[in-house]
């Protein structure tokens, strides 16, 4: 874990590396000090404030169990919807309460993100929070309760939009200090003045420059845009909804592309923390994306087979006449 700590001659052997590691990754405020060495140390920083200590192990275990259950429910529903086909929907409208983007799970995910900096023992949300948010976005895109009445549908989708935006903001409050500390650790050298004192060649920015992922991002806004278009299409009626279907279909497909890009980027460029756990988490997200692509392919094949059957029946009827 500590092989990638920056080497510097003034690093003191008595310093606790684990404590330094926690300080860098949970630092809320980095203070810059004036320095006379403008060549080798033009920017001198130290951590002024960190998040409180982690919650007990039980909290991490509960979040881990809840997240695993949410993922397995999403996986099973996607598989069963694909098996049942277009004509029959697995669990009908009741499945909304089981999904990560539903009215039960999403508030719990928001609560976990709000307390994310202190959930960092065996299930660090600073590493796995982005995968959880991607799971929520996939859930919101994959399942649409279009059979609901207008008011009920609008209320449900609007609450999902609000929940996604809140979850994205809370996730950024978790990952941005994490990415900032990663940049401070990897792109700096220890000055020896204190355990968190570092020298840098360039100014330290919020979120750092080594990892570009953000929860409040284009991916989130495209998914939110799709959900808003679903509301507009639902309440505008058939006369106007048809004009928006092409835009909605384009935004849905582009949202899936952005989710895939985010997942691949985070798999390759995340800080080297809990590598196996992170690979397993994003591997699970890739599986959901693959199932969605397979579901769309099966739907297209089913539609083409249905059209071919109709054309065959029409041709037979004409020959009979």
């Amino acid at each position: 874990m500590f092989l990638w700590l920056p080497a510097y001659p003034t690093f003191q052997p008595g310093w606790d590396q684990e404590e330094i590691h926690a300080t860098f990754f949970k630092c809320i405020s980095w203070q810059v000090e004036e320095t006379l060495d403008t060549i080798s140390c033009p920017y001198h920083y130290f951590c002024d404030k960190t998040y409180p200590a982690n919650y007990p192990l039980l909290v991490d275990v509960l979040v881990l169990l809840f997240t695993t259950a949410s993922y397995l429910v999403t996986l099973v529903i996607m598989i069963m919807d694909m098996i049942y086909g277009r004509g029959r929907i697995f669990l009908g409208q009741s499945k909304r309460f089981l999904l990560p983007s539903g009215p039960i799970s999403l508030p719990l995910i928001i609560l976990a993100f709000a307390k994310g900096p202190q959930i960092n023992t065996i299930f660090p949300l600073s590493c796995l929070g982005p995968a959880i948010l991607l799971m929520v976005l996939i859930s919101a895109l994959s399942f649409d309760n279009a059979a609901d009445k207008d008011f009920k549908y609008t209320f449900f989708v609007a609450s999902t939009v609000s929940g996604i935006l809140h979850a994205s903001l809370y996730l950024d409050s978790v990952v941005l200090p994490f990415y900032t500390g990663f940049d401070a650790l990897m792109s700096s050298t220890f000055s020896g003045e204190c355990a968190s004192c570092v020298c840098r060649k360039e100014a330290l920015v919020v979120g750092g420059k080594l990892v570009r992922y953000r929860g409040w991002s284009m991916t989130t806004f495209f998914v939110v845009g799709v959900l808003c278009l679903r509301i507009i299409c639902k309440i505008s009626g058939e006369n106007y909804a048809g004009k928006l279907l092409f835009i909605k279909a384009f935004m849905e497909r582009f949202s899936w592309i952005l989710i895939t890009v985010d997942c691949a980027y985070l798999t390759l460029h995340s800080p080297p923390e809990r590598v196996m756990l992170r690979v397993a988490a994003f591997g699970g997200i890739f599986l959901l994306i693959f199932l969605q692509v397979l579901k769309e392919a099966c739907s297209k094949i089913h539609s083409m087979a249905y059209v071919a059957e109709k054309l065959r029946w029409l041709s037979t009827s004409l020959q009979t006449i």
Side-chain angles (χ1 to χ4, degrees):
M1 181 185 300
F2 304 109
L3 292 178
W4 40 279
L5 281 169
Y8 198 70
T10 56
F11 184 82
Q12 303 298 323
W15 290 344
D16 186 348
Q17 289 187 333
E18 186 173 354
E19 183 179 348
I20 293 174
H21 180 270
T23 300
F24 273 76
F25 283 90
K26 298 185 69 172
C27 186
I28 304 173
S29 174
W30 288 92
Q31 295 293 330
V32 61
E33 289 184 321
E34 293 184 1
T35 174
L36 298 178
D37 188 356
T38 58
I39 298 177
S40 61
C41 189
Y43 297 95
H44 187 261
Y45 287 91
F46 70 95
C47 180
D48 182 54
K49 184 180 180 182
T50 61
Y51 281 112
N54 295 336
Y55 286 125
L57 178 63
L58 177 62
V59 177
D60 285 65
V61 172
L62 291 176
V63 175
L64 172 61
L65 293 176
F66 167 73
T67 305
T68 304
S70 297
Y71 175 80
L72 292 177
V73 166
T74 306
L75 182 64
V76 169
I77 292 178
M78 290 187 74
I79 293 174
M80 296 307 295
D81 274 357
M82 185 171 58
I83 293 175
Y84 274 47
R86 299 178 62 185
R88 301 165 61 191
I89 302 298
F90 179 65
L91 291 179
Q93 303 301 318
S94 62
K95 66 186 176 185
R96 73 178 60 174
F97 299 102
L98 304 175
L99 293 171
S101 58
I104 297 177
S105 297
L106 187 52
L108 295 177
I109 291 174
I110 294 173
L111 177 62
F113 284 170
K115 303 297 182 180
Q118 295 173 264
I119 303 175
N120 197 35
T121 306
I122 63 170
F123 191 75
L125 288 184
S126 54
C127 296
L128 304 176
I132 298 175
L133 180 62
L134 292 178
M135 179 179 67
V136 172
L137 299 181
I138 289 174
S139 171
L141 280 178
S142 299
F143 307 104
D144 186 18
N145 303 302
D148 283 344
K149 295 181 180 179
D150 291 355
F151 175 78
K152 189 176 182 181
Y153 180 84
T154 302
F155 177 79
F156 177 77
V157 178
S159 63
T160 303
V161 168
S162 176
I164 289 175
L165 293 177
H166 278 83
S168 301
L169 283 175
Y170 281 123
L171 177 62
D172 278 344
S173 70
V174 177
V175 300
L176 289 184
F178 181 61
Y179 295 154
T180 305
F182 178 61
D183 193 348
L185 199 59
M186 294 296 292
S187 304
S188 312
T189 53
F190 290 103
S191 67
E193 300 295 331
C194 65
S196 65
C197 293
V198 292
C199 289
R200 293 180 56 83
K201 298 294 185 180
E202 58 182 3
L204 184 65
V205 298
V206 176
K209 297 181 179 180
L210 300 181
V211 182
R212 296 192 305 270
Y213 174 81
R214 302 290 184 267
W216 190 266
S217 64
M218 184 182 296
T219 304
T220 298
F221 279 103
F222 260 84
V223 174
V224 167
V226 170
L227 298 180
C228 292
L229 280 177
R230 287 178 180 176
I231 296 176
I232 295 173
C233 291
K234 181 69 175 179
I235 65 178
S236 61
E238 297 181 358
N239 294 332
Y240 298 98
K243 301 177 182 179
L244 299 173
L245 290 179
F246 174 78
I247 300 177
K248 181 169 74 71
F250 168 77
M251 290 185 64
E252 285 180 350
R253 284 165 174 75
F254 194 68
S255 296
W256 281 107
I257 293 174
L258 291 175
I259 289 174
T260 306
V261 170
D262 281 352
C263 190
Y265 177 83
L266 288 166
T267 303
L268 297 174
H269 295 92
S270 291
E273 273 280 296
R274 311 293 175 90
V275 176
M276 296 305 299
L277 189 60
R278 178 166 51 85
V279 170
F282 289 109
I285 299 300
F286 273 122
L287 177 59
L288 294 180
I289 296 172
F290 171 76
L291 288 176
Q292 177 65 24
V293 172
L294 188 61
K295 178 182 175 182
E296 292 290 333
C298 292
S299 177
K300 293 294 183 183
I301 293 174
H302 182 274
S303 298
M304 293 172 61
Y306 178 78
V307 172
E309 182 66 25
K310 284 293 184 180
L311 292 175
R312 192 181 305 111
W313 177 82
L314 182 59
S315 176
T316 305
S317 300
L318 291 175
Q319 290 177 1
T320 304
I321 296 173

